[in-house]
Amino acid sequence: MVTIEHIRNAEIFSDLVDDELQKIIPICREETLPKGTVIWKEGDTADRIYILQKGKARINLRGKSIIDISEPGRILGWSAFVKYNKYYTATAECLEDSTFIRIIAADILSLFRDNQSIGLKVMDNLAVVIARRLENIVEHY
């Protein structure tokens, strides 16, 4: 069972207070995936996000590694939050046995419509995540 402690340090939820985090808990599911699992492929329908709890994952863009995610609380699959993106723009895979919190995009977007202040805070944090990732890609190439 996912608790507030599990999501408190997630980069997209960092500005939320406990009452707001409590509203997110019901849509969170813990998922453990073995090393080598392809979480999704570039072009798959973007319908869920993952928040790393332990382990390590990699994001690959057009066959090239662009970012390793090993810090608990980091998000994978932000494309699922963006209405314009119906598909994942990169491939994600587990580099070691990993545990994630999985959130279905439709569930959290519905929560945002009902709790707009939560949605604004999370989307502000998501903008920072995307900017950092783009900086990483630019530095990498």
Side-chain angles (χ1 to χ4, degrees):
M1 179 175 151
V2 177
T3 67
I4 286 178
E5 297 308 317
H6 289 114
I7 65 171
R8 181 183 314 277
N9 295 320
E11 60 188 338
I12 58 170
F13 300 142
S14 63
D15 293 335
L16 302 181
V17 297
D18 284 0
D19 289 346
E20 293 168 322
L21 293 171
Q22 194 64 47
K23 292 178 181 179
I24 295 170
I25 295 296
I27 61 173
C28 296
R29 300 290 178 267
E30 190 172 81
E31 187 169 334
T32 300
L33 300 172
K35 177 181 178 177
T37 299
V38 174
I39 305 167
W40 64 76
K41 293 181 183 176
E42 182 177 347
D44 286 352
T45 301
D47 58 357
R48 61 203 183 281
I49 64 160
Y50 287 81
I51 300 167
L52 183 68
Q53 294 300 290
K54 65 179 181 175
K56 188 173 186 178
R58 173 172 287 157
I59 305 295
N60 298 308
L61 182 63
R62 296 186 181 101
K64 295 181 182 177
S65 172
I66 58 169
I67 189 168
D68 286 350
I69 297 177
S70 59
E71 184 178 331
R74 301 295 296 269
I75 184 177
L76 293 87
W78 61 262
S79 296
F81 274 146
V82 182
K83 194 174 188 179
Y84 175 78
N85 282 345
K86 294 182 181 179
Y87 306 101
Y88 291 113
T89 57
T91 297
E93 65 178 322
C94 294
L95 295 180
E96 55 188 54
D97 294 349
S98 300
T99 301
F100 300 92
I101 292 172
R102 178 180 44 85
I103 303 173
I104 302 299
D107 294 342
I108 199 159
L109 293 173
S110 177
L111 185 140
F112 292 168
R113 281 189 289 280
D114 294 340
N115 300 273
Q116 295 177 1
S117 64
I118 294 173
L120 180 60
K121 290 176 186 179
V122 171
M123 295 308 265
D124 281 348
N125 289 338
L126 180 61
V128 173
V129 170
I130 294 169
R132 284 188 196 139
R133 300 259 173 103
L134 289 173
E135 285 176 356
N136 184 51
I137 292 170
V138 169
E139 291 173 6
H140 193 75
Y141 292 98

